[in-house]
Amino acid sequence: MASFETWKYEPVPLHFKVPHGIFIHEATSVAIDSKDNVYCFNRGNMPVLVFDDSGNLLRHWGNPTPFEGTETFTDPYGNEAARWIGCEFLRPHAITIDHEDNIWLVDDIANVITKCDLKGNRKMMLGPRGVVETSQEAMEKLVGKQIPPAEPQVCISILGPSSTPSIPKLHVHECLRVTLQDSVHI
């Protein structure tokens, strides 16, 4: 087995074949499933793009109307920002895939973590104040909505370098772990 020191990475220009009209904007994170497919979570007009190892687009989800343009909204800090009309995420932030090929998507403005299957079907949504939704009807009400956090907040991610010496430099996609009981551990 190769060690990290012996792995060699080289850029492959224009590897991913993105169809005309699909815009990848601020690809905040990527993850790889058990079949080596690459999942790109981004802030473009189609938030989740799935590519095979040859760069072919296999499927996408997260916006039923990707060609309808943008709309303006005010973020939690009072800034006006644009978002794609129909997008199911306010601001895609992180993605991870667990050992059972469940996909976990973090929307940092909506304050929601969404659990999906490999086709993008929502299985669960975790929100502030301990909200756990598993019914399709309840999850539809959370999609694309900002949910204000409750006080006190529970931090479920470590972003960037930690100021605590015992905690290494981690990012949310490296520290978010979810068990079968749907508890969040970091």
Side-chain angles (χ1 to χ4, degrees):
M1 186 165 136
S3 69
F4 287 112
E5 292 80 31
T6 62
W7 290 2
K8 185 175 180 181
Y9 298 97
E10 295 181 23
V12 180
L14 305 174
H15 176 71
F16 295 103
K17 299 160 186 89
V18 181
H20 178 75
I22 298 293
F23 304 101
I24 297 179
H25 178 69
E26 295 179 351
T28 58
S29 60
V30 297
I32 300 172
D33 69 14
S34 64
K35 295 179 178 135
D36 288 335
N37 295 317
V38 177
Y39 292 71
C40 175
F41 197 34
N42 76 98
R43 297 175 182 160
N45 63 340
M46 189 55 66
V48 182
L49 302 170
V50 185
F51 299 94
D52 65 15
D53 60 359
S54 296
N56 299 306
L57 182 66
L58 299 176
R59 59 189 167 278
H60 52 77
W61 74 83
N63 188 348
T65 60
F67 309 113
E68 296 295 316
T70 60
E71 62 188 354
T72 301
F73 79 104
T74 303
D75 71 15
Y77 309 104
N79 302 310
E80 285 195 4
R83 67 175 282 210
W84 295 96
I85 294 172
C87 187
E88 296 175 1
F89 301 93
L90 287 179
R91 193 168 86 158
H93 183 70
I95 185 173
T96 192
I97 300 176
D98 66 24
H99 68 284
E100 294 183 334
D101 273 348
N102 292 303
I103 300 169
W104 296 86
L105 303 162
V106 177
D107 184 329
D108 65 345
I109 286 185
N111 295 307
V112 171
I113 299 173
T114 303
K115 176 183 178 182
C116 298
D117 64 19
L118 294 177
K119 302 288 184 189
N121 300 309
R122 282 186 294 278
K123 297 166 87 174
M124 179 177 57
M125 293 178 83
L126 304 174
R129 298 180 296 280
V131 172
V132 178
E133 297 293 354
T134 55
S135 76
Q136 291 300 319
E137 181 180 330
M139 287 189 290
E140 286 298 322
K141 291 178 183 176
L142 293 177
V143 171
K145 304 288 190 289
Q146 182 178 337
I147 303 170
E151 295 294 334
Q153 296 181 36
V154 176
C155 178
I156 60 167
S157 64
I158 300 170
L159 302 174
S162 170
S163 59
T164 307
S166 63
I167 300 176
K169 294 180 181 179
L170 297 175
H171 296 280
V172 69
H173 64 275
E174 296 169 325
C175 67
L176 177 66
R177 299 290 178 258
V178 181
T179 67
L180 293 177
Q181 291 78 30
D182 299 319
S183 308
V184 177
H185 301 278
I186 53 172

